Amino acid sequence: MLVNIDEELEWLYGLDIHRIKLDLKNISRLLKELGNPQNSFKSIHVAGTDGKGSTCAMISSVFNFSKIRTGLYTSPHIMNFNERIAVDGLPIDDESLARLISVVRPIAEDMKCCDMQCTFFEVTTAIAFLYFAEKKVRYAIIEVGMGGQFDATNVVTPDISVITDISIEHTEYLGKTIEKIAFEKAKIIKRNVPVVTSNVGKPLDVIMSIASKMGSDVILVSNVGVVSTLEDRTVMLYRNDEYVVGVPGDYQARNASVAIEVIMNLSCRSELLPHLKEGLENVFWPCRMQKIKNVPIIVDVSHTRAGSKVLSENISRIYGKVVVVFGVLNDKDIDGIAENISSVASKIIVTTPKSPRAADIAYVERVSRKYCKNVVVCAEISDAFELALNERDNSENILITGSFIMAECALKWLKKTSVRS
């Protein structure tokens, strides 16, 4: 029977993409009805605030170069839903996606009749696990959506857990202190399963405490050295060895070090280590300080205070002052992000991401003016991009940042626009 991808995706998005429910009951029931596909492959489970997607991509790249069949589940996507679910580096095809949605859909609808309304993320997670099982992946690298303890992905028992740097985020769901947020994320740690982390201070204290109770070893990343940060790569030192990482930003050295520790502590490391450097050097993870080829535009998805801080430090080091096109969602630390990006902005053009969750543009303008004297407002996002191009100095680059949706809008605009350096 032919299945229409547009109709199936319309149903999936209709599950209320922005509704968040922190509970494992629905996903557990859904997966049980599907035969528990998550039990058919080994996994690496990755939580954190900043860098978890990049870390997943790096680990996946090493697996791909090692010719080990591997699934990768990340969120959110930038241009296309299919990006969320990949096997051996290739996103799920429309035909498979439509078919799998049609498999999960009647189960989810039956559950709704029993007062178990599945969310968008729960169904998407089930589809990913089902696809990985069908494709007979040996390993799946699975990124936590939000938090950890009650995230839909927290039904796997991985070979190794990973917690990248933790900072304040999603306080309405995870708690208002760094300790409470760290607790939620550290609850992905399973009994006797080692955990790799780059955290220090209070978040590390929480991780160590939970790991101790679970009998799980904690593998710490330390002594990361950055040799150079360039437009398209980072050169780093770790464990007295030099690595080239195919994404820019000195903070990516920290993420790469986490990936290295994961590879070194897996039972299949003998298959992976010969391809470790190759995998890191050739990793591609879009919109992480991505300089668009032959265009004076940098696109980045940073949307937290901590993320925007390291972004600004690296932009300053590589590019100097830039024109910033800034759009943000209403549940983010707008003040913290604005303060950080202002440090590298010759001008900030405040605009509105195409989302019902977009922050009030007048409020974003007001906050931005606290830190930058040269702020203009351009409500239509494509007009904001045009304005940035027209008003930049000849040598200046443009930084588009604030959310995943800003990145998506930028890439779509670039596809239909002729821009020259």
Side-chain angles (χ1 to χ4, degrees), residues 78-93:
I78 295 175
M79 294 284 282
N80 188 287
F81 177 92
N82 307 52
E83 298 166 21
R84 294 169 177 254
I85 304 167
V87 170
D88 294 341
L90 298 176
I92 186 172
D93 60 279

Side-chain angles (χ1 to χ4, degrees), residues 25-279:
K25 290 180 181 177
N26 282 5
I27 187 64
S28 297
R29 168 73 178 275
L30 188 57
L31 290 170
K32 182 180 179 181
E33 295 292 331
L34 293 166
N36 284 317
Q38 76 279 7
N39 295 335
S40 68
F41 49 81
K42 296 182 177 181
S43 61
I44 298 161
H45 198 199
V46 184
T49 301
D50 295 304
K52 58 182 176 173
S54 297
T55 302
C56 286
M58 292 173 191
I59 297 168
S60 176
S61 182
V62 176
F63 269 86
N64 291 340
F65 276 97
S66 303
K67 305 300 182 186
I68 295 175
R69 173 147 281 205
T70 309
L72 176 63
Y73 179 48
T74 57
S75 61
H77 63 269
I78 295 175
M79 294 284 282
N80 188 287
F81 177 92
N82 307 52
E83 298 166 21
R84 294 169 177 254
I85 304 167
V87 170
D88 294 341
L90 298 176
I92 186 172
D93 60 279
D94 281 351
E95 182 180 348
S96 296
L97 177 58
R99 177 177 53 79
L100 291 176
I101 296 174
S102 73
V103 169
V104 177
R105 180 174 178 175
I107 299 172
E109 289 177 339
D110 284 347
M111 288 173 59
K112 182 179 180 181
C113 295
C114 300
D115 200 27
M116 298 181 76
Q117 172 66 65
C118 292
T119 66
F120 170 90
F121 190 71
E122 287 168 339
V123 171
T124 302
T125 300
I127 291 166
F129 292 171
L130 201 54
Y131 186 61
F132 296 157
E134 280 193 0
K135 288 293 185 179
K136 294 181 169 56
V137 303
R138 188 166 148 200
Y139 272 88
I141 295 102
I142 300 167
E143 180 188 6
V144 169
M146 187 185 78
Q149 178 171 201
F150 298 114
D151 185 80
T153 64
N154 200 28
V155 292
V156 297
T157 299
D159 278 20
I160 199 163
S161 303
V162 183
I163 305 175
T164 63
D165 288 353
I166 295 171
S167 62
I168 298 290
E169 64 162 350
H170 298 300
T171 54
E172 68 273 38
Y173 298 105
L174 305 181
K176 297 188 182 302
T177 67
I178 195 73
E179 292 92 341
K180 287 182 178 179
I181 293 170
F183 176 85
E184 291 297 324
K185 294 179 184 293
K187 291 296 282 186
I188 70 163
I189 299 172
K190 304 298 190 298
R191 185 162 299 281
N192 299 320
V193 174
V195 55
V196 175
T197 187
S198 53
N199 281 279
V200 296
K202 292 178 180 179
L204 178 59
D205 292 342
V206 174
I207 292 166
M208 295 291 287
S209 175
I210 292 176
S212 176
K213 291 174 183 176
M214 299 299 289
S216 302
D217 293 334
V218 178
I219 301 158
L220 298 176
V221 167
S222 60
N223 300 321
V224 183
V226 178
V227 177
S228 59
T229 302
L230 307 171
E231 286 187 2
D232 61 347
R233 63 192 182 280
T234 305
V235 183
M236 58 171 281
L237 287 173
Y238 190 67
R239 290 179 174 262
N240 299 315
D241 210 348
E242 185 172 286
Y243 298 87
V244 177
V245 185
V247 282
D250 58 15
Y251 54 93
Q252 295 292 2
R254 196 168 178 84
N255 297 330
S257 299
V258 173
I260 291 167
E261 288 293 352
V262 170
I263 299 301
M264 287 181 169
N265 285 278
L266 285 169
S267 60
C268 61
R269 57 185 169 275
S270 61
E271 298 174 72
L272 297 166
L273 287 173
H275 305 279
L276 177 56
K277 289 190 174 183
E278 183 183 22

Side-chain angles (χ1 to χ4, degrees), residues 340-352:
N340 288 325
I341 64 171
S342 293
S343 66
V344 292
S346 61
K347 170 182 288 188
I348 296 178
I349 300 173
V350 174
T351 190
T352 305

